[in-house]
Amino acid sequence: MTEVRGPAKVISFINMKGGVGKTTLTKEIGYFLASRRNKRILFIDLDPQSNLTQSFFRKYNYSQEDLLEVEEEHSGFINSGDTRVSVKKNYTNASIHKLFTPGKVSDLSKDDCILNLNDNISIIPGTLKSVFSERNSSIENHLYNYVNNHKLKEEYDYIFIDCPPTYSNYTIAALITSDFYITPTRPDSYSVLGIDMLDQVVKQIKDHHQVYFTGRELKALGVVFTDLQQPNTGIQKLKTKIIQSSKIKDLGIRFFDRSFVYNSHLPKQAEYFITDSMSNTIEELTIIVDEFERRVKE
Ligand SMILES: Nc1ncnc2c1ncn2[C@@H]1O[C@H](COP(=O)(O)OP(=O)(O)OP(=O)(O)O)[C@@H](O)[C@H]1O
Ligand SMILES: [Mg+2]
């Protein structure tokens, strides 16, 4: 029997700008909550680039069925000195692809889409062959319906959605399913523009899809600055300028107290997770997670 949890809070990690740390923050906050706070998390990889899926698959030694033939040719063995050591991969055919294929969502089982990686971590993997139409509005409610049909909120503490950087039907699918959204932002001179644009998109989606927001809200958790390069004094000044800009104040945008600090391992190793590392950036991550949990409970 499945242990009763939740009701899960559904949270979209979103910014319609690319390369601002959405995927990294989704993975690091979620993994920290699962492994240090004993929370059950369902990750949903909505980005056709599938970077979140690749990170978790590397860590837990998974691959997708679709890649089976290709990988059998290339792997199965690794060279370790003179001896070839067999590495056994686990294969799954769970994927988000089925969820967004036009058809009946009610026919889909949990196993069709969800892969359980351990007691606390599950994922709806993105698929590398995902070439599904981004211009098919009939798929917008599929994720919402799937979460409801399987009462997924009762099984998890958090459902984290890693959103793609471009506006599409997936953006709508993510936001109509979400209770909150959080906005990773790289501090640069275009940040205010990006935050403003997202604010408008959220308002528009709430307006066009009112039926999903009766009796529930879609709240902004705030902006988290992500330091994708070594921070310097110029960056600190820029952050202050952004926070204090009149546009941001007018919109009532909140910011997290701490930035997601620079960590040189992140861009190099997909299977690297701060929580399992010896990095002192764990302390900084802990402060972000504390603030994250506080804001969700407010
Ligand atoms: N704190 C950090 N320190 C150093 N590098 C980072 C940090 N956070 C993210 N990165 C790196 O910055 C790059 C962009 O991050 P990420 O993929 O998370 O952004 P994204 O917003 O999801 O991008 P996309 O829009 O393409 O989905 C990646 O190479 C990632 O490893
Ligand atoms: Mg991403």
Side-chain angles (χ1 to χ4, degrees), residues 15 17-25 47 49 51 162-165 184 226-229 260-268 274:
N15 184 335
K17 256 184 99 169
V20 295
K22 294 179 291 292
T23 301
T24 309
L25 218 56
D47 188 348
Q49 297 170 98
N51 293 340
D162 182 22
C163 294
T226 47
D227 292 333
L228 307 191
Q229 273 149 21
F260 182 54
V261 296
Y262 176 77
N263 181 319
S264 62
H265 297 282
L266 285 168
K268 289 184 216 131
I274 293 173

